[in-house]
Amino acid sequence: MLGGGILHGLAVTAKNFVGSFTDPERLVTLGYPEERAPAKENARQFPFLVFDGADPQAGLRCVACQICEKECPPQCILIVKSKTKKPDHLGKPQFFPATFDIDLSVCMSCQICVEVCPFDAIKMDQEFELATNDRFEGLLRHRDQLARPNAHFQKLHPTDAAAIDARRAEELAKAAAAATAAAAAPRKPAPESPPAA
Amino acid sequence: MDAPDQIFVLLKHAVVSWFPTPVQPWISAVLSIGAILAVYPMIFALTTVIERKALGRIQNRPGPNRVGPAGFLQFAADGIKSLTKEDIVPRAADSVVHFLAPLVVVVPPLLALAVLPVGRNMVALDLPETGLLFFLMVGTAVELGVFMAGWSSHNKYSLLGAMRAIAQLLSYELPLLLSTVSVVMLTGSLSLNAIIGHQSEVHAGVLLGWNVFTPWGAAGAVLFFIAALAEANRSPFDLPEAESEIVAGYFTEYSGFKFALFFLGEYLGLFAVSGLGITLFLGGWLPPLTVLSWVPSWLWFFGKLAVLMGIFIWLRGTLPRLRMDQLMRFAWQFLLPMSLINLLVAALWQYSTPWPHLLRWLPAAILFGIPYLLYHRAFLRQHPPRTYRYAS
């Protein structure tokens, strides 16, 4: 009937109005600063640098290979390679970044730096409350601000972190086995000890 | 009468009696004006918060909930904000008219509210000869303020909004007036107190004779409140300030407290016209049943006002905005003929008094039913049922 659509619409809104009081499932919004939605594992905002152990300086995985700097589409990364070397997790001497700056005002969160890094040294953070009064210095992150422990990475992306940690542990075991084999080889040239596979 | 019913009247008499006799009428007037200036803006403040919360609930979100307990002090925050904002007057604007327009919008609803009886013996200005006429004439003055605002702003959106507002207000003035005429016809008086008194006769021992319980009253109330929504620029008739089309309509160029005054004027107009609807059709401050007459009369008036506001908020949360041609067609092709038919129905009701009660409803049912069916058929011819094709 004429006007029936209006009554139907009124019924729909009345159902929503009453339902929002009786059914908490309907209220999909969150009172943001106090309530937060649980973070999604694949959420990403801006990159950070991973370090192992307790010392961000010694444990930094980055070897300043500068692949990410070259691949970065908006060119927001600046790396200056060190003059000296420091041992990596396998004990091999490697360069490290003397400067590692990311300009968050330029970064477009594309994750290409993470994809290209062969050392699993750069990963995506989930921090998004980055408002600042100073849009130049406040959004320019330096190496020491970017460095986060591996535990942080494990918390944000548990699946990725578990796979990477397993691979690194395997590499470490392989390297240790190779080192013992190398240490044993000159003393015992006999062929009965094949290198650990 | 009993004390709770007359508490405000007695209070006023007590205060007035402290003063010497020559100034007593002035003190009485000041107290009445003060009450109107305090009560209705307070209702306005609460209505804005409740409206925002209810609209939020209709959209499955909590609405404002930060300021004060459950967000109910939001109006205070909004008021402070609008007071402290810069008052911008465009350089090209006609500054005198631009300044006067918000006042012209706010004052008429306040004048109209002054003649509304809100309780037994509670009316600020009793006009026994011309109450309804005064109300309607003062209400028409809002159109002047709206057009002043739109014209003086020197802005195309303001002017478009003002043109829309004038077209809409003039068109809906007619059904509004014609639906009140039937009440005047049957009461035989323009006095709002007399109209309420006419509705106080008891039927069947319990039910009071509200006009809405008669066929012409029920139809008149529906027509009246539709026209009232349009007169008050409420959704779904809020074309003069359609945000998605013409920024904010006639108050585009207003900021700060002048903007707040427009907002206040709009709501005061809505309260005034709803109060008139309550007085004409819903029995004013009368209870519906004789057993409920212990509830204070002013509580009945403001309770009815609250219910009407709730319905208007509900409608606002439900209906989309009309198009300009739909708006005009609805006024001239539906509301106006129907309100003319309503006059006929009212006349038949008046002259069929000796008939049995149910038989008196018959002419009304025929007179409204046939045009309704014709409208339905015309609507279906214009808008045949749509068939939707979906991608498989």
Side-chain angles (χ1 to χ4, degrees):
Chain A
M1 286 305 270
L2 198 62
I6 291 175
L7 296 180
H8 180 68
L10 286 172
V12 169
T13 44
K15 206 167 77 186
N16 277 290
F17 180 81
V18 176
S20 71
F21 286 102
T22 56
D23 180 12
E25 287 288 303
R26 277 176 174 273
L27 286 177
V28 289
T29 53
L30 288 172
Y32 156 61
E34 295 92 25
E35 298 168 43
R36 279 152 195 275
K40 300 274 192 300
E41 193 182 335
N42 287 343
R44 63 172 196 246
Q45 297 296 332
F46 293 108
F48 69 97
L49 297 175
V50 187
F51 67 83
D52 295 308
D55 182 11
Q57 183 65 35
L60 206 62
R61 290 181 185 175
C62 179
V63 299
C65 67
Q66 294 178 309
I67 294 175
C68 55
E69 187 185 16
K70 292 193 185 78
E71 292 286 341
C72 179
Q75 295 285 299
C76 70
I77 303 177
L78 173 76
I79 300 173
V80 177
K81 204 180 258 194
S82 62
K83 297 281 183 287
T84 56
K85 290 190 175 184
K86 73 169 178 63
D88 65 0
H89 70 297
L90 303 175
K92 226 162 87 180
Q94 296 276 18
F95 288 109
F96 60 92
T99 306
F100 196 115
D101 290 349
I102 297 179
D103 191 342
L104 299 187
S105 63
V106 175
C107 176
M108 62 183 202
S109 308
C110 64
Q111 207 181 344
I112 287 176
C113 51
V114 177
E115 309 286 339
V116 298
C117 183
F119 301 95
D120 297 312
I122 189 164
K123 292 291 169 195
M124 296 307 273
D125 209 340
Q126 290 176 351
E127 187 194 356
F128 57 92
E129 285 151 322
L130 299 161
T132 170
N133 291 329
D134 180 1
R135 67 189 167 118
F136 301 108
E137 277 305 310
L139 288 172
L140 185 65
R141 292 291 157 97
H142 302 292
R143 185 190 65 189
D144 297 337
Q145 295 162 288
L146 287 168
R148 293 270 193 287
N150 193 23
H152 181 67
F153 177 47
Q154 284 163 344
K155 204 179 81 200
L156 295 187
H157 308 283
T159 319
D160 286 1
I164 289 167
D165 285 348
R167 200 172 69 235
R168 286 170 72 86
E170 202 181 304
E171 280 172 18
L172 192 62
K174 210 190 285 180
T180 41
R187 265 190 286 137
K188 271 207 266 174
E192 75 262 30
S193 82
Chain B
M1 281 299 288
D2 44 338
D5 188 27
Q6 294 297 303
I7 179 164
F8 296 113
V9 180
L10 295 174
L11 211 63
K12 185 180 153 190
H13 282 308
V15 173
V16 169
S17 65
W18 297 340
F19 293 90
T21 321
V23 293
Q24 275 185 2
W26 294 96
I27 298 298
S28 170
V30 165
L31 285 176
S32 300
I33 293 167
I36 287 172
L37 286 180
V39 170
Y40 287 105
M42 203 60 215
I43 299 175
F44 155 70
L46 280 176
T47 308
T48 55
V49 180
I50 293 169
E51 173 159 24
R52 290 175 61 184
K53 288 182 86 70
L55 288 179
R57 287 286 169 176
I58 282 172
Q59 296 157 11
N60 285 328
R61 57 186 173 80
N65 59 358
R66 295 279 147 176
V67 194
F72 271 97
L73 290 179
Q74 182 70 41
F75 68 86
D78 287 347
I80 292 165
K81 181 189 151 205
S82 63
L83 271 174
T84 51
K85 280 196 121 179
E86 188 188 354
D87 173 30
I88 301 165
V89 180
R91 197 184 300 159
D94 184 337
S95 56
V96 178
V97 182
H98 190 266
F99 173 78
L100 284 177
L103 302 178
V104 177
V105 169
V106 169
V107 171
L110 286 171
L111 289 176
L113 286 167
V115 299
L116 279 183
V118 297
R120 191 175 280 116
N121 305 328
M122 286 169 75
V123 51
L125 175 67
D126 188 18
L127 296 172
E129 300 289 324
T130 55
L132 183 61
L133 194 65
F134 173 83
F135 187 100
L136 292 169
M137 292 308 106
V138 154
T140 317
V142 174
E143 288 157 37
L144 179 66
V146 166
F147 197 69
M148 279 164 74
W151 184 260
S152 66
S153 295
H154 211 277
N155 173 314
K156 60 186 169 192
Y157 297 118
S158 301
L159 193 55
L160 277 172
M163 300 298 255
R164 283 182 175 197
I166 294 299
Q168 173 180 330
L169 294 176
L170 289 179
S171 305
Y172 280 81
E173 199 81 35
L174 271 161
L176 190 84
L177 286 172
L178 285 173
S179 52
T180 59
V181 166
S182 54
V183 180
V184 178
M185 274 163 59
L186 269 82
T187 310
S189 168
L190 282 168
S191 160
L192 295 172
N193 273 328
I195 288 169
I196 293 177
H198 187 255
Q199 297 179 61
S200 66
E201 55 189 84
V202 180
H203 294 283
V206 282
L207 192 71
L208 266 85
W210 291 9
N211 285 337
V212 76
F213 299 143
T214 59
W216 60 271
V222 171
L223 294 169
F224 180 88
F225 283 114
I226 292 173
L229 277 180
E231 283 292 302
N233 289 338
R234 281 286 295 191
S235 173
F237 304 109
D238 55 350
L239 283 100
E241 55 209 68
E243 300 90 355
S244 52
E245 299 155 27
I246 47 172
V247 190
Y250 53 86
F251 51 75
T252 302
E253 290 292 356
Y254 283 89
S255 55
F257 204 65
K258 287 180 185 165
F259 178 82
L261 280 181
F262 273 107
F263 207 45
L264 174 69
E266 196 167 290
Y267 274 85
L268 289 181
L270 186 64
F271 297 151
V273 79
S274 307
L276 184 66
I278 291 168
T279 307
L280 294 181
F281 298 105
L282 302 178
W285 40 262
L286 293 168
L289 302 169
T290 44
V291 289
L292 290 171
S293 54
W294 55 272
V295 179
S297 56
W298 42 272
L299 215 56
W300 278 116
F301 180 84
F302 287 109
K304 287 171 192 175
L305 192 63
V307 170
L308 279 178
M309 287 304 125
I311 292 171
F312 290 162
I313 292 168
W314 186 11
L315 281 169
R316 184 179 169 186
T318 305
L319 300 178
R321 187 181 300 129
L322 268 72
R323 220 167 48 211
M324 198 68 207
D325 60 322
Q326 292 170 338
L327 180 90
M328 286 295 140
R329 194 178 304 141
F330 187 60
W332 292 101
Q333 296 189 1
F334 183 78
L335 286 185
L336 189 60
M338 282 300 198
S339 49
L340 287 171
I341 291 171
N342 196 33
L343 288 183
L344 193 61
V345 171
L348 284 174
W349 181 264
Q350 175 73 350
Y351 289 112
S352 63
T353 324
W355 297 11
H357 197 73
L358 280 176
L359 203 61
R360 290 173 81 192
W361 282 75
L362 195 65
I366 293 168
L367 279 173
F368 282 120
I370 290 171
Y372 182 81
L373 288 174
L374 288 177
Y375 273 121
H376 185 54
R377 276 184 56 196
F379 183 82
L380 280 185
R381 210 177 309 126
Q382 266 181 7
H383 308 278
R386 294 183 197 174
T387 49
Y388 293 98
R389 285 191 301 124
Y390 299 102
S392 53

